[in-house]
Amino acid sequence: GENVEQHPSTLSVQEGDSAVIKCTYSDSASNYFPWYKQELGKGPQLIIDIRSNVGEKKDQRIAVTLNKTAKHFSLHITETQPEDSAVYFCAASKGADRGSTLGRLYFGRGTQLTVWP
Amino acid sequence: DAGVIQSPRHEVTEMGQEVTLRCKPISGHDYLFWYRQTMMRGLELLIYFNNNVPIDDSGMPEDRFSAKMPNASFSTLKIQPSEPRDSAVYFCASSPIGQRDTQYFGPGTRLTVL
């Protein structure tokens, strides 16, 4: 199956700085790449996603980039705030039209982001 | 919308006991997923359903684990007998019709097996 690797495992930044989290995947057939944010004691929440026909997507302070040739994608958070502190997960999927693995997400191990005020 | 609802939020039990975790997906969603999260293994997909039918249970660790979805608004994950290594946070997630990759997670059930 798919193998998703995520780096770094921990990241500390000062409030206002940018944070970048990187993921690589192994299956070139993967075509959907969501990012989830998990706060302490809660379930993962989808914050942004990108599909393989798009190279970059932005939503306010959050952006995701995708390089299909290199099989890696990244999450960029600008102007970080203390409330951005959480564990962030990347994931990859072959999507809805790819046979028996329909909808199956493969997750990275997570990045603990701490934003210091 | 109330989101995905899971119960109980915390469960402490003794080894050998049966444990049942419950999930109510978001109304109208046709996919339901069960995940397990541990420090050692991260987030693992255990099983998922489409229209109440199990599609892929290859992630279920062993025969002690079973999952059912008797109707579109309810699913259970059962462990019998439970073992200390089953201690983890179990998440249920659901996906809407037409956006099956977009999964919405519940708050999870923290299971501790003594």
Side-chain angles (χ1 to χ4, degrees):
Chain A
E2 172 70 277
N3 180 42
V4 178
E5 297 199 355
Q6 182 172 348
H7 300 279
S9 57
T10 61
L11 179 59
S12 292
V13 299
Q14 202 73 32
E15 182 178 2
D17 288 351
S18 295
V20 180
I21 302 171
K22 298 181 179 182
C23 289
T24 61
Y25 61 98
S26 61
D27 190 341
S28 57
S30 290
N31 59 4
Y32 175 69
F33 308 92
W35 286 87
Y36 285 81
K37 175 183 180 182
Q38 186 176 22
E39 297 176 329
L40 197 61
K42 297 183 178 180
Q45 300 296 311
L46 179 68
I47 56 171
I48 195 168
D49 57 16
I50 192 168
R51 297 186 185 272
S52 61
N53 57 341
V54 176
E56 183 174 357
K57 185 176 179 180
K58 191 173 182 180
D59 183 4
Q60 298 183 350
R61 296 185 296 108
I62 294 173
V64 59
T65 58
L66 171 65
N67 183 329
K68 282 221 74 179
T69 303
K71 291 190 284 188
H72 68 70
F73 55 113
S74 301
L75 177 72
H76 304 253
I77 306 174
T78 59
E79 301 172 22
T80 54
Q81 302 167 4
E83 50 265 40
D84 294 330
S85 297
V87 179
Y88 291 81
F89 292 94
C90 62
S93 169
K94 291 182 182 179
D97 56 349
R98 298 284 182 165
S100 62
T101 54
L102 193 68
R104 185 185 184 106
L105 287 176
Y106 294 86
F107 284 86
R109 295 302 303 272
T111 296
Q112 173 68 63
L113 173 64
T114 303
V115 180
W116 300 101
Chain B
D1 199 324
V4 175
I5 299 172
Q6 291 188 248
S7 65
R9 294 295 312 275
H10 302 272
E11 177 80 32
V12 180
T13 190
E14 293 189 347
M15 183 173 64
Q17 296 298 306
E18 177 180 296
V19 175
T20 299
L21 311 181
R22 297 173 176 80
C23 174
K24 176 179 169 56
I26 295 171
S27 177
H29 285 196
D30 62 346
Y31 275 84
L32 184 139
F33 306 82
W34 281 102
Y35 287 89
R36 178 171 67 176
Q37 186 177 43
T38 61
M39 289 296 293
M40 291 295 295
R41 301 173 68 91
L43 264 169
E44 302 175 276
L45 177 67
L46 300 178
I47 184 171
Y48 74 90
F49 297 81
N50 177 222
N51 291 324
N52 314 336
V53 177
I55 302 300
D56 183 351
D57 66 353
S58 59
M60 296 287 261
E62 46 197 279
D63 292 345
R64 297 184 298 106
F65 286 70
S66 63
K68 293 182 179 180
M69 192 165 185
N71 57 63
S73 59
F74 183 66
S75 178
T76 60
L77 178 67
K78 186 175 294 187
I79 309 173
Q80 166 64 18
S82 58
E83 296 183 3
R85 59 195 170 113
D86 301 331
S87 297
V89 180
Y90 291 81
F91 290 103
C92 176
S94 67
S95 289
I97 297 170
Q99 297 180 50
R100 53 198 72 187
D101 293 317
T102 305
Q103 298 182 21
Y104 296 85
F105 282 74
T109 295
R110 180 173 294 278
L111 173 65
T112 303
V113 183
L114 303 175

